[in-house]
Amino acid sequence: MSYTALYRKFRPGRFEDVKGQGHIVTTLQNQIKADRIGHAYLFCGTRGTGKTSIAKIFARAVNCESPVEGSPCGGRFKVYIIDEVHMLSIGAFNALLKTLEEPPSYVIFILATTEVHKIPITILSRCQRYDFRRISIETIAERLRELMEKEQVQVEEKALRYIAKTADGSMRDALSLLDQCIAFHFGQELTYDKALDVLGAVDTEVFSRLLRHVIGREVTDCIGLLEEIVMQGRELSQFVTDFTWYLRNLLLLQSSDDIEDIIDVSSDNLLRLKEESGMLGTETLMRYIRIFSELSGQIKYASQKRIVIEIALIKLCRPDMERDIGSVAERVRVIEEQLENGVVAVTAVGAGVGNAVSAPAPGKERLPLPKAIPEDVQAAVERWQDIVANADMPMKQYLKEARLSLGGDSRLLVVMEDGLASDYFLRQEGHKELLEQLLADMTGREIDVTVQTVPDRETFEQSYVDLSQLIHMEIEEE
């Protein structure tokens, strides 16, 4: 005998088997018991919530000569079930309307739809309307657990709950996803990690890492993490949905102290969420959710999903790219943090991470030059074009945009605008050392370099002395 899909094999055959729609089941059972059956019903709700199943059960129940508790047994009515009724044409609706106005006593119509707003009001007003709710995660997980016991399949509880959550309120979707996971790992216990692997999903630990990169405005690390996800073959649309859900949980934690029961996560993940909810403000978090919610709509039709996600991540890390209220609030927050520290803090790449260098603020006097420019710095400036030409990509491109100045300690300052170029040297270990090695190879001198960032070119011109204007630079010959 051929295999039958789980959602077909376990389709409810009695009212008692229907899960998550108790308000509708009770009403229909009471109508049957009291013999107060209507001539037309309209079942509305999202996919997989039981509209067609209940319609079939109800059709059998009203034809039963001796129903038990409203459940079917055997026919006194002709029941017409019209699924996805919103797809009918205007002419078809008009023809149906004539029958609904004066129906035969032995006819019952059950109309089912996921888009009730497309049904003419003349049809709606002649039907008893029932709105099907999305089925809760707990109800779906409980049903899956019950069915797996019948099928004698071992499934980890965490895997069941994740599948129930991914189904988004649809019992049929949950059964289809579970069927897919079991088939892929047939004969083995279905664990949480295996379910993630089959569904192309990402563990919440990855979302935590991504959020911390975003908070630190680490564009390169965000793009690198996305690269890992892509190389693992994860489904990018599901990744966007799950990360939006992760941000939603953070917002709920910020909004109320007694929200743990609503957030469906483990105790370890809950502790991590509480820690991260205190790392950023509510307005910033709402801005993150807005950007990724917009991304959820865009990615469905995007031919280059990865690029669209990369743009969204850059937006999260660079609020100065946008002009909306949320982005402005985030920029103000960053400025306030800098003012509290007394300086515009720039992470320096030296022996370790965490050192800070004070970048001169716009409007202040330029850094004073020493009486004599050190010979090693002068040699680096004179040969800067050759140094840039001998660098590998992408360092070569970044150095072309850099400006040279001198610090108060007579160190060479490589100044660049805040962005990908500065992240390349300030956020990623080893790149500053590569630049210093390149300088040593080209000048024959060991030169210590300090990398600083400025918001724009005008700030450099106001706050720094441009060494290229003071020292003759060799012209690069193409």
Side-chain angles (χ1 to χ4, degrees), residues 403-475:
R403 309 291 288 273
L404 303 179
S405 189
L406 193 66
D409 54 357
S410 297
R411 291 165 64 97
L412 176 64
L413 296 183
V414 179
V415 186
M416 53 190 63
E417 292 184 24
D418 189 23
L420 291 176
S422 61
D423 283 352
Y424 181 80
F425 291 101
L426 297 176
R427 304 289 185 186
Q428 300 184 26
E429 295 183 4
H431 291 162
K432 173 177 170 289
E433 288 73 14
L434 287 176
L435 174 59
E436 290 178 339
Q437 182 61 48
L438 181 60
L439 290 170
D441 294 342
M442 298 298 297
T443 64
R445 305 165 184 265
E446 290 188 4
I447 303 175
D448 293 329
V449 175
T450 298
V451 179
Q452 287 190 346
T453 64
V454 290
D456 48 47
R457 185 177 294 271
E458 182 180 344
T459 302
F460 175 84
E461 294 172 351
Q462 292 176 350
S463 306
Y464 293 86
V465 174
D466 190 349
L467 291 183
S468 65
Q469 303 298 320
L470 302 178
I471 302 174
H472 171 69
M473 299 178 67
E474 292 184 359
I475 304 299

Side-chain angles (χ1 to χ4, degrees), residues 90-102:
I90 295 299
F93 273 125
N94 288 334
L96 178 62
L97 179 61
K98 297 298 293 182
T99 306
L100 290 179
E101 286 177 336
E102 299 177 4

